[in-house]
Amino acid sequence: MGVVNVTPDSFSDGGDWFRPEAAIARGRALAAAGADIVDVGGESTRPGAVEVDEAEECRRILPVVAALAADAVPVSVDTRHPGVLRAALAAGAGIANDVSALTADPASLDLVARTGASAVLVHMQGTPGTMQDDPRYEDVVEDVLAFLAGRVEACRAAGIGPERLAVDPGYGFGKTMEHNLALLRGLERFGALGCTVALGVSRKASLGRISGEGDPKRRLPESLAAGLFALDRGVRLLRVHDVGETCRALAVWQALRHA
Ligand code: HH2
C-alpha cells in the first residue's frame, strides 16, 4: 500500500503532494512502482494533529481518488469521517482505511457494510490530538488484540466478513516506544483474528529514535528493516511511502523465502 498524503502537515511528507496534480502524479508513480493499493488521505493523524472538516478533506482528496480510480488503480481512503468515506467510495475508492477502526462514527461501519467496500481496522488509543499523552495498557498486545477482535466481530455482525477486512495494530497511535516494540514482536498473534494483517511503520518517529535519524524522509533503511521483520511475522499489507524501494526489498525477501 503506497501513501499519498494530500495534506500540508503530514509528519513524513507534509505539503509535497498537496496540489491535486502533484498528488495524482504521485499516486500513478506509486502504482507504477508496484503498489497494489494507493492510500489517499486528506487529514494528518500525526500526534497533535488538529481535525480537518469534512468539506475541506473532500476538496483535497476527491479529485485524486477519482483520477486514480479512473486509471483502475485500487484506492483506499484514509479517513475517520463518514461523509468523506461516502464521497470517496462514490468517486471510485474501494477500501476504507480508518485509524479509528470504524468507531469514530458508526455511520462509517454502515457505509462499508452497504457498499460492499473493504476496510482496514486500525487500533488507536485516544485521538491524534492527545494520543501520545501518557498512553497506558495492561498488556499492549493482549489489549490491542482484544480491541481488534471486537471490531472484527462488530463488522461480522453488520455483514462485513473477514475476507473484506484487514487488522492493523496501529504502530505509533497512542503507544510509547516500548508499546510499539512489543506490538512488532507480537505481530504473529494477529493472524488469529482471521483477516489480513496490515502495518504502517514507514518513516515513523520511533524508528528514528532507535537509529538516531531525525529526518522522516531519510528513514528508508529503518522502514525496510521494520517492514521485513513484520512480513516475516505474517503482515501482508504494508503501508509505505517508498514503494519502489520496498518492492525491491520484498523481491529479495520472497526469493529467499521460497529458495
Ligand atoms: N499511519 C498513518 C496514517 N494512516 N493507516 C494505517 N492502516 N496504518 C498506519 O500505521 C497509518 C495509517 C500515519 O502516517 P502518515 O499518513 O504518513 O502521516 P500523517 O498521519 O501525518 O499524514
Side-chain angles (χ1 to χ4, degrees), residues 1 3 5 7 9-13 39 43-46 78 97 99 120 122 168 170-171 173 198-202 204 239 241:
M1 175 187 274
V3 181
N5 287 319
T7 56
D9 57 344
S10 287
F11 83 94
S12 56
D13 55 2
D39 189 42
E43 177 186 61
S44 172
T45 49
R46 74 184 189 290
D78 189 346
N97 177 29
V99 299
V120 184
V122 187
D168 181 331
Y171 189 92
F173 285 95
L199 187 74
V201 282
S202 183
K204 286 192 175 169
R239 182 180 182 277
H241 300 83

Side-chain angles (χ1 to χ4, degrees), residues 189-255:
R189 301 192 49 203
F190 287 78
L193 296 173
C195 313
T196 299
V197 182
L199 187 74
V201 282
S202 183
R203 298 185 179 179
K204 286 192 175 169
S206 57
L207 298 183
R209 237 172 283 135
I210 297 172
S211 67
E213 179 53 67
D215 179 355
K217 288 186 182 163
R218 294 174 52 88
R219 291 188 192 134
L220 176 60
E222 292 84 344
S223 306
L224 290 176
L228 295 176
F229 180 94
L231 291 171
D232 267 335
R233 283 155 185 79
V235 167
R236 288 296 174 270
L237 181 57
L238 202 53
R239 182 180 182 277
V240 303
H241 300 83
D242 303 289
V243 169
E245 292 85 346
T246 302
C247 287
R248 281 161 46 201
L250 243 169
V252 173
W253 176 81
Q254 272 170 329

